[in-house]
Amino acid sequence: MATLADRLDHVLGVKAAEGLQEHFDMQTVEDLLRHYPLRYATQGQPLTEEAPEEGQHITVMGRVTKTELRPMKNRRGSLLKVNLDTGGARPVEITFFNGDKVRYLVKEGVRAMMSGTVHWWRPDRWNLSHPDYLILPEKGDGSIESLTTVHGGGALRGLAQSAKGAGGVDISFFEREFIPVYPSTAKVQSWDLLRCIRQVLDQLDPIDDPLPEALRTEHALLPVSDALRLIHLPEHKADIEAARGRLRFDEAMALQLVLAERRHQVEGRAAKSCPPRTDGIAAAFDKRLPFELTEGQRAVIDEISADLSRSHPMHRLLQGEVGSGKTIVALHAMLQVVDNGQQCALLAPTEVLAAQHYRSLTKMLGDLGNAGELGAADQATKVVLVTGSMSAGQKKAALLDAVTGEAGLVIGTHALIQDNVEFFDLGMVVVDEQHRFGVEQRDALRAKAKDAASPHLLVMTATPIPRTIAMTTLGDLETSVLTQLPRGRSPITSKVVPAKVKPAWVDRAWERIGEEVAQGRQAYVVCSRIGDEEENGKGKGRKAKAEEEKEGPTTHSAVDMYEMLGSGAFKDLRVGLLHGRLPTDEKDRVMRAFNDAEIDVLVCTTVVEVGVDVPNATVMVIVDADRFGVSQLHQLRGRVGRGKHAGLCLLITETNPMGTAMARLEAVAGTTDGFELAVLDLRQRREGDVLGAAQSGTARSLRLLSLLDDLEVITAAQQLAREIVESDPGLRNHPGLASMMRAAVDGERLEYLAKS
């Protein structure tokens, strides 16, 4: 018999366990049983995918309708061309390179499962080349010869060929109504996984259910033992739905318990109350504003003000569209804290953004931000900047202002987290673009607070987060949303420029920039890479350089684009270059020159993605736009249209006009609704990545819970988790829930949750 915690080599044997660990990072029985079917093949409903991704490993099932043996052109032997009717619009085209051998098994009329890598050879046609395959028996045919599997050197070679006993796949299993199909690899096929899972289920001991029976009854949930068995071996469609419902709830519950625990811990800390004052710097700043705040800004300012007035730390997320005025809201909150004798730290992810915040905040404050200088206002505070590349003298002066309390607002990058940075009395931490920072970095800065008091925390993002995502990844934060743009903000028009199909449109893009500059305005040209990598290939091996020359350049670099445009289309304009590898003083000089309209066109990388505010810039051309993500494109184009003139964003791409990348770009061009684009982005990136499957390198991610579609499940789990943690902090009276939380969410996942 076996338990969920047992090692796979003890249950399946060393060879099978090594293959599962190598290709899926599975180590225990539970790891294997949590590898749920991707879908199910059913009798009369053959299995297919209409448009899988290039390079994706898939499994299809159907009936062979045509075979054709052809001689190879450049070597001995024959190809077998096969059409597999999978029930789709057209048969799946399959090629076998050992056609002389395969034709005796893969014959017209046989039923088969085939597993291989997708190759698109035309915009509307794809095939599988030399897949592994399983010839399936016809209904009622129980002979061993009816089940034939051929592997191309798979890690678990021949596992599916065992008929009965030793956990093998019983031939009659393929006469079932529902045949599970698993996420697989070229080395471990779906039927290999099925064999291993059946062997484990045959030996599995009863499982102690982590959910109390009363809770299961209230939410109509199966026992976990039944759910784990039925997800793999369903008899009816209702079995699949019931099993998924229980396991989906478990995933939501585990995450919400983690977030509820963290929320409870935060609320248990003490913080200095910072109520608003009518005679302080915040009130003076309000009176001087040259424009009227939006209703949304006012509402969020009131929410934050109420949080700051309490005696436990604020823990709030402020998200808003590009240009929605988050900086004003954050500054007002910081001034309220300064009015109560404490300091604020603003943490930015890049030096360019930190310097931009420093300039914009000092400009907005005017004489309210130059305490200690002639002409300073009575209520004035001091604003200082701390970055890693500052000179020793500059940094020493800034750090002295922070430790003595002279500076009320301290703005910086990761340099603020260093041990030598001290504050006189840190009362609030503001984190901009919060997804760039880990929880350990935020906590390192918050730990610099005085005595036992915790500073208030405000994290900001211009990347819209759909409600279910926020509830699942940021459930320990209260959320405020700014959707209304400030008055006077101009609209942005976006257009896709298909360079391969319409090369003349690229020339027209450069002309449009020239027309805008002639009107006294400015433009960005954004590239996906810098371009001076290792001095254009020096240091690369001969093979790597040969491959590069053979394939040709796949992207346009900022350095090359700067040289090309500066000597070509923009030879009569003032062109600047900005990227992350420039010295800090050079980056600052270029950014200042662009701010002061001394540069007409700024060729740059994504260092301008967030925070850069040049109202006179009206056009942005994004080169190789298909190399950027949806949210990144939305962030980038938010740099134009920030003044009184309308913005224009041109997305240049050489991608396939019929491909998914072009569809993504057209979607970006078709809307400026950041929340709509965030949903699109998450669907295309696959939701597992949201919780760090790619970042942690493991398969331990959300498998069934949809962060976009399962609002009802997430909401129920959140409410229940908060109630349980409130009555039983630490889950001492709920050992099952505590173990479920620990098992489902490992350390890497918790770290990424804090970054999401």
Side-chain angles (χ1 to χ4, degrees):
M1 302 302 287
T3 69
L4 291 179
D6 282 354
R7 286 168 38 180
L8 286 173
D9 56 349
H10 293 167
V11 181
L12 298 175
V14 173
K15 182 178 178 181
E18 285 178 349
L20 294 172
Q21 180 167 2
E22 178 183 354
H23 296 283
F24 298 97
D25 195 29
M26 296 178 186
Q27 300 177 42
T28 67
V29 167
E30 182 165 16
D31 291 341
L32 177 60
L33 293 182
R34 298 287 184 184
H35 190 78
Y36 305 131
L38 192 64
R39 52 197 177 278
Y40 300 85
T42 62
Q43 302 295 335
Q45 297 291 324
L47 183 74
T48 190
E49 291 201 25
E50 290 299 331
E53 293 291 328
E54 171 77 25
Q56 182 181 349
H57 187 86
I58 67 168
T59 300
V60 295
M61 189 180 91
R63 192 172 296 278
V64 175
T65 58
K66 180 181 178 182
T67 63
E68 181 183 357
L69 196 65
R70 300 179 186 174
M72 293 191 188
K73 292 181 179 179
N74 301 319
R75 56 176 173 164
R76 296 175 61 186
S78 300
L79 296 174
L80 185 67
K81 295 286 188 178
V82 175
N83 283 358
L84 188 73
D85 181 5
T86 59
R90 60 165 57 95
V92 174
E93 298 175 8
I94 295 165
T95 303
F96 290 98
F97 299 123
N98 54 346
D100 290 316
K101 295 180 180 179
V102 177
R103 63 177 175 154
Y104 297 107
L105 296 172
V106 182
K107 300 178 291 187
E108 289 186 18
V110 302
R111 257 175 92 228
M113 293 180 78
M114 299 196 181
S115 187
T117 301
V118 173
H119 171 63
W120 284 85
W121 57 279
R122 272 182 19 193
D124 61 341
R125 303 288 285 274
W126 60 273
N127 73 358
L128 298 180
S129 293
H130 203 61
D132 288 355
Y133 62 93
L134 185 70
I135 303 300
L136 301 176
E138 297 296 336
K139 195 168 181 68
D141 184 356
S143 64
I144 182 66
E145 291 78 12
S146 299
L147 185 65
T148 305
T149 179
V150 175
H151 285 259
L156 307 184
R157 180 188 295 273
L159 286 180
Q161 285 185 310
S162 45
K164 295 184 180 180
V169 179
D170 191 331
I171 292 170
S172 63
F173 185 84
F174 289 94
E175 299 178 1
R176 295 167 62 96
E177 182 68 23
F178 296 95
I179 302 171
V181 179
Y182 295 92
S184 57
T185 71
K187 298 293 185 181
V188 182
Q189 303 300 346
S190 176
W191 47 84
D192 294 325
L193 290 159
L194 173 57
R195 175 262 177 189
C196 293
I197 287 168
R198 286 199 47 152
Q199 182 172 339
V200 163
L201 287 174
D202 286 345
Q203 303 177 63
L204 191 63
D205 287 334
I207 301 171
D208 291 333
D209 202 307
L211 295 185
E213 184 177 356
L215 193 154
R216 297 199 308 270
T217 302
E218 180 184 351
H219 292 273
L221 298 172
L222 290 176
V224 70
S225 292
D226 294 349
L228 283 175
R229 189 169 296 276
L230 289 175
I231 195 76
H232 297 291
L233 306 175
E235 296 288 345
H236 309 285
K237 187 175 181 180
D239 294 341
I240 299 171
E241 294 306 313
R244 282 178 171 169
R246 165 59 201 266
L247 299 172
R248 188 181 295 122
F249 186 87
D250 283 3
E251 291 177 0
M253 190 67 182
L255 289 172
Q256 292 302 330
L257 284 168
V258 172
L259 296 171
E261 281 280 3
R262 187 182 298 160
R263 178 189 177 96
H264 182 80
Q265 291 169 8
V266 169
E267 291 180 346
R269 297 172 187 158
K272 182 177 178 181
S273 173
C274 297
R277 286 175 45 187
T278 57
D279 59 345
I281 186 173
F285 175 71
D286 273 353
K287 292 175 183 177
R288 296 183 180 201
L289 278 177
F291 52 84
E292 187 178 345
L293 296 175
T294 66
E295 292 180 10
Q297 285 173 314
R298 282 290 178 199
V300 172
I301 285 173
D302 289 344
E303 287 177 348
I304 294 173
S305 179
D307 283 352
L308 294 174
S309 302
R310 292 183 295 192
S311 57
H312 61 80
M314 175 178 72
H315 211 221
R316 183 169 289 275
L317 167 71
L318 172 59
Q319 59 170 317
E321 281 283 14
V322 176
S324 59
K326 295 182 297 298
T327 305
I328 286 282
V329 172
L331 178 56
H332 189 281
M334 289 189 283
L335 295 179
Q336 182 171 327
V337 172
V338 170
D339 274 337
N340 285 271
Q342 291 190 286
Q343 297 167 285
C344 298
L346 194 162
L347 185 61
T350 67
E351 291 196 352
V352 169
L353 183 53
Q356 175 72 34
H357 276 311
Y358 175 73
R359 285 193 294 270
S360 61
L361 264 58
T362 52
K363 182 178 179 181
M364 284 190 284
L365 286 170
D367 62 355
L368 290 172
N370 57 3
E373 299 178 20
L374 288 174
D378 291 340
Q379 307 98 324
T381 189
K382 191 170 187 177
V383 186
V384 298
L385 176 67
V386 179
T387 64
S389 62
M390 292 171 66
S391 69
Q394 291 173 321
K395 190 178 292 186
K396 183 177 180 180
L399 295 180
L400 184 62
D401 286 336
V403 74
T404 61
E406 290 295 316
L409 306 182
V410 181
I411 301 167
T413 57
H414 296 77
L416 289 182
I417 302 171
Q418 296 174 358
D419 291 340
N420 64 335
V421 179
E422 297 181 20
F423 293 84
F424 180 74
D425 190 4
L426 182 61
M428 180 178 179
V429 174
V430 179
V431 180
D432 196 13
E433 289 308 308
Q434 58 87 30
H435 61 282
R436 308 280 190 94
F437 296 96
V439 65
E440 71 285 348
Q441 292 167 314
R442 293 197 322 227
D443 285 347
L445 186 52
R446 295 171 69 185
K448 295 178 181 293
K450 197 174 182 180
D451 303 323
S454 294
H456 300 282
L457 175 67
L458 178 68
V459 293
M460 301 192 297
T461 182
T463 303
I465 305 172
R467 182 183 173 198
T468 48
I469 303 294
M471 288 175 66
T472 308
T473 60
L474 300 166
D476 58 331
L477 298 175
E478 298 294 340
T479 303
S480 296
V481 180
L482 288 173
T483 55
Q484 186 180 2
L485 294 182
R487 291 177 181 83
R489 187 58 56 87
S490 301
I492 302 173
T493 301
S494 301
K495 299 289 184 183
V496 178
V497 179
K500 275 190 174 179
V501 182
K502 304 280 188 181
W505 288 18
V506 178
D507 296 332
R508 178 61 187 138
W510 308 137
E511 289 175 6
R512 280 293 291 118
I513 286 180
E515 292 166 3
E516 289 294 305
V517 172
Q519 296 292 321
R521 298 187 273 277
Q522 295 163 273
Y524 300 93
V525 175
V526 183
C527 301
S528 61
R529 62 187 178 94
I530 296 172
D532 57 353
E533 293 87 356
E534 295 199 35
E535 296 183 317
N536 296 321
K538 287 182 181 178
K540 294 182 181 179
R542 258 185 295 182
K543 184 177 179 183
K545 284 193 281 187
E547 285 297 317
E548 198 172 87
E549 290 168 7
K550 177 181 171 185
E551 294 179 8
T554 56
T555 56
H556 300 78
S557 72
V559 171
D560 291 344
M561 191 63 64
Y562 170 71
E563 293 173 355
M564 182 189 79
L565 294 175
S567 60
F570 301 156
K571 64 179 183 293
D572 298 323
L573 305 181
R574 298 168 297 175
V575 183
L577 176 66
L578 181 67
H579 58 72
R581 207 172 293 146
L582 291 173
T584 300
D585 56 350
E586 176 68 7
K587 283 188 286 191
D588 197 48
R589 185 195 66 76
V590 172
M591 204 62 236
R592 284 183 181 276
F594 192 59
N595 269 305
D596 296 339
E598 296 169 3
I599 291 176
D600 299 317
V601 181
L602 184 63
V603 180
C604 56
T605 58
T606 56
V607 291
V608 299
E609 181 183 345
V610 292
V612 175
D613 187 6
V614 181
N616 194 45
T618 55
V619 183
M620 174 175 284
V621 173
I622 302 177
V623 184
D624 301 311
D626 52 287
R627 297 302 180 109
F628 298 87
V630 170
S631 295
Q632 197 171 33
L633 291 170
H634 184 56
Q635 290 292 312
L636 284 167
R637 71 174 167 189
R639 300 307 105 207
V640 297
R642 302 178 73 86
K644 59 184 179 180
H645 302 291
L648 173 65
C649 180
L650 301 175
L651 307 172
I652 297 180
T653 180
E654 295 182 0
T655 193
N656 181 351
M658 302 294 292
T660 56
M662 180 63 79
R664 183 176 75 245
L665 295 179
E666 293 287 1
V668 172
T671 182
T672 56
D673 185 332
F675 285 90
E676 181 181 334
L677 290 174
V679 171
L680 169 70
D681 189 28
L682 289 165
R683 289 200 189 283
Q684 293 198 337
R685 283 194 293 124
R686 304 177 186 229
E687 294 174 9
D689 289 347
V690 175
L691 294 187
Q695 286 76 6
S696 69
T698 73
R700 298 182 182 93
S701 59
L702 296 185
R703 297 166 175 87
L704 295 176
L705 186 72
S706 169
L707 300 183
L708 295 172
D709 301 327
D710 291 328
L711 175 61
E712 185 176 342
V713 176
I714 294 170
T715 302
Q718 184 184 76
Q719 180 179 347
L720 183 60
R722 290 182 176 181
E723 290 174 357
I724 291 173
V725 169
E726 187 67 30
S727 62
D728 181 22
L731 302 180
R732 294 175 184 84
N733 299 323
H734 295 80
L737 294 178
S739 64
M740 183 176 76
M741 179 178 69
R742 288 192 299 269
V745 185
D746 59 22
E748 288 173 324
R749 181 73 56 250
L750 288 177
E751 179 181 343
Y752 192 75
L753 278 171
K755 295 179 183 178
S756 298

